[in-house]
Amino acid sequence: AHHFLTQVDAGPIFFYCGNEADVEGYVEHTGLMYENAAAFGALLIFAEHRYYGQSLPLGAETFNNMHFLTHEQALADYATLIQEIKPQLKAETSKVIAFGGSYGGMLAAWFRMKYPHIILGAIAASAPILAFPSADGGEEAAGGGEDYW
């Protein structure tokens, strides 16, 4: 936060889309964000995916409500988190870049597609968003995951 908070204009926010595990493991192994944060004056935010780690949205009832464990819900959580945290950090004008790998990369790409008014860009590593079958059961829809939203 040092580089971010000492700038006249707040820098960008690098936002990690947590995936199918406790987010702390990703905090310790996400070099690309750390390697570039200082150069861009970026603030790093790591969001934990609902139902993983300490993120139990319904407390003791969480595991009786597994129908809320969806990528759509996770993306809505991330959108809400960004909208809530930017004013707290006086970062209303900061651009947000989503990061993720594998499932987290899919989330980052979908986040940009679903919420372009919140996410300026996404860096999605090993994100097989085109690997989805078509809605009619065919091999793959034209555009595949690009047409998902």
Side-chain angles (χ1 to χ4, degrees), residues 34-114:
Y34 285 109
E35 292 165 3
N36 291 286
F40 286 93
L43 174 69
L44 303 180
I45 296 176
F46 287 79
E48 188 165 73
H49 193 296
R50 59 173 44 213
Y51 288 78
Y52 293 98
Q54 302 299 309
S55 298
L56 305 176
L58 301 171
E61 289 297 311
T62 295
F63 297 107
N64 293 327
N65 291 281
M66 296 301 287
H67 57 281
F68 293 119
L69 176 56
T70 67
H71 63 277
E72 292 93 348
Q73 290 285 332
L75 295 176
D77 291 344
Y78 299 157
T80 299
L81 175 62
I82 290 170
Q83 289 174 317
E84 293 290 325
I85 204 166
K86 284 177 83 173
Q88 294 174 25
L89 298 173
K90 296 180 178 35
E92 292 91 340
T93 62
S94 291
K95 307 301 183 205
V96 181
I97 306 297
F99 287 76
S102 190
Y103 172 54
M106 294 165 64
L107 291 170
W110 287 332
F111 198 12
R112 169 67 177 133
M113 294 164 74
K114 178 79 173 170

Side-chain angles (χ1 to χ4, degrees), residues 1-7:
H2 172 73
H3 297 285
F4 178 81
L5 296 175
T6 57
Q7 293 186 6

